[in-house]
Amino acid sequence: LGDSADQHAKDLKALKEAHDKHLRSLEDVKLAATHHATLPERIDYIEQMLGSSADKHWREISMLKAAHAKHDAAHGNFSKELEALKAAHEKHATVSERLDYVEK
């Protein structure tokens, strides 16, 4: 009977120690959970980051489109000027043509 009581006392002590260990683990888990953001908070953060990124990219695309339009307009002007220079160049006589004209 004494051995059985000693064994029960050991088992009870081991059970209490295990219970205390689990209680400490539970407190650690609760403490860790307080530092985590909730799912809605995480989703809000992701949506905010994606929205900011999308807005930034949209602004950059708009700026690129504006720069491209400006470049196209400048290219159109340069093309017109080039055609005018070609037309003016065609009207000029060569040196030999001028000499022929003067000698007449």
Side-chain angles (χ1 to χ4, degrees), residues 90-102 104:
E90 288 177 0
K91 292 179 184 176
H92 286 287
T94 63
V95 172
S96 62
E97 290 172 341
R98 288 181 182 184
L99 283 173
D100 290 340
Y101 178 77
V102 172
K104 284 185 186 181

Side-chain angles (χ1 to χ4, degrees), residues 29-37:
V29 168
K30 286 181 180 179
L31 182 63
T34 60
H35 294 298
H36 286 286

Side-chain angles (χ1 to χ4, degrees), residues 4-60:
S4 179
D6 290 338
Q7 185 62 36
H8 285 292
K10 287 180 186 178
D11 290 342
L12 184 59
K13 182 179 178 185
L15 185 61
K16 285 182 181 181
E17 288 174 357
H19 181 265
D20 290 342
K21 180 180 176 185
H22 286 299
L23 187 60
R24 285 191 301 274
S25 295
L26 179 63
E27 292 300 318
D28 291 342
V29 168
K30 286 181 180 179
L31 182 63
T34 60
H35 294 298
H36 286 286
T38 63
L39 186 60
E41 290 172 339
R42 290 177 183 190
I43 290 173
D44 288 343
Y45 175 76
I46 290 171
E47 287 176 345
Q48 180 185 5
M49 289 296 113
L50 289 176
S52 297
S53 180
D55 292 341
K56 179 183 173 187
H57 285 113
W58 181 253
R59 283 191 304 272
E60 289 178 3

